[in-house]
């Protein structure tokens, strides 16, 4: 009886499944009252039903399982309507009078970008003329650390 409603499917199916489990327990001579079943369903509802749970607890009237189902379905519909779609907008500040490196790269083709990366130099030792995977200092450092050797590019 510790199954939680995870928001998949609808809440009516979840409550009916709980009811079926309770009826199977009744066949095994373990009877759960309807009030207890209603409370268990409410307890196992997810956090976005918290406002609904509070409103149930504030009233004196106890619901039947059918009334709980109808109220839960209404609440589920209300939550779906309240859920708003959102998109995140990102913008970049414009540097006055400065050209960005990536703006220049966008105008170049892929072959020119590769040449520019090679001319920038090694990311490990910061010396121009080679890249990190061909750097002798990098391979010596990996060997010192006990890391496996990389395949060197030609």
């Amino acid at each position: 009886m510790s199954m939680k409603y995870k928001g998949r499917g609808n809440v009516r199916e979840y409550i009916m499944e709980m009811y079926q489990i309770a009826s199977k327990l009744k066949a095994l001579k373990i009877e759960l009252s309807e009030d207890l079943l209603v409370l268990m369903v409410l307890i196992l509802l997810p956090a976005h039903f918290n406002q609904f749970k509070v409103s149930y607890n504030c009233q004196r009237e106890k619901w039947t399982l059918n009334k709980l189902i109808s109220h839960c379905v209404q609440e589920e519909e209300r939550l779906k309507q309240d859920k708003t779609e959102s998109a995140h907008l990102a913008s970049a500040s414009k540097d006055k009078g400065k050209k960005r490196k990536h703006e220049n790269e966008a105008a170049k083709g892929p072959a020119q970008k590769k040449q520019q990366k090679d001319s920038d130099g090694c990311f490990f030792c910061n010396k121009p003329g080679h890249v990190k995977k061909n750097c002798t200092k990098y391979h010596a450092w990996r060997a010192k650390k006990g890391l496996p050797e990389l395949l060197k590019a030609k």
Side-chain angles (χ1 to χ4, degrees):
M1 294 302 293
S2 65
M3 63 182 244
K4 271 209 175 243
Y5 174 65
K6 295 178 181 142
R8 294 185 194 100
N10 62 29
V11 73
R12 177 177 296 172
E13 291 172 2
Y14 162 71
I15 296 171
M16 292 307 293
E17 193 173 342
M18 289 280 285
Y19 179 73
Q20 288 173 352
I21 291 170
S23 63
K24 287 178 185 177
L25 287 172
K26 188 176 184 180
L28 296 171
K29 297 184 180 174
I30 302 172
E31 197 166 335
L32 297 175
S33 68
E34 190 172 11
D35 289 342
L36 180 61
L37 188 59
V38 167
L39 287 174
M40 289 182 70
V41 168
L42 285 169
I43 288 169
L44 297 173
L45 285 173
H48 57 271
F49 280 88
N50 280 347
Q51 185 178 0
F52 176 72
K53 293 177 193 179
V54 168
S55 68
Y56 173 79
N57 290 327
C58 288
Q59 64 184 359
R60 292 192 178 130
E61 178 190 358
K62 297 298 177 200
W63 293 341
T64 63
L65 200 59
N66 288 331
K67 196 165 187 176
L68 174 69
I69 290 172
S70 66
H71 284 293
C72 282
V73 168
Q74 287 175 355
E75 180 69 9
E76 185 178 44
E77 290 299 318
R78 188 190 67 78
L79 290 171
K80 284 180 184 175
Q81 288 175 356
D82 286 351
K83 191 182 284 188
T84 57
E85 293 184 20
S86 63
H88 298 284
L89 176 65
S91 63
S93 62
K94 294 186 178 184
D95 295 333
K96 295 179 182 177
K98 294 181 182 178
K99 281 194 171 182
R100 294 186 186 152
K101 181 179 176 180
H102 66 275
E103 288 174 353
N104 292 335
E105 289 178 3
K108 298 177 183 177
Q112 291 175 331
K113 285 183 185 178
K114 182 145 178 91
Q115 288 175 353
Q116 184 178 0
K117 282 184 181 177
D118 290 346
S119 66
D120 286 346
C122 174
F123 286 116
F124 188 76
C125 68
N126 293 325
K127 292 185 181 175
H130 66 279
V131 291
K132 181 178 169 181
K133 63 184 173 183
N134 296 334
C135 181
T136 55
K137 288 183 179 180
Y138 177 65
H139 288 285
W141 175 82
R142 285 186 63 88
K144 181 180 174 186
K145 290 286 186 181
L147 299 172
E149 280 197 39
L150 296 175
L151 298 174
K152 292 184 180 181
K154 294 179 182 179

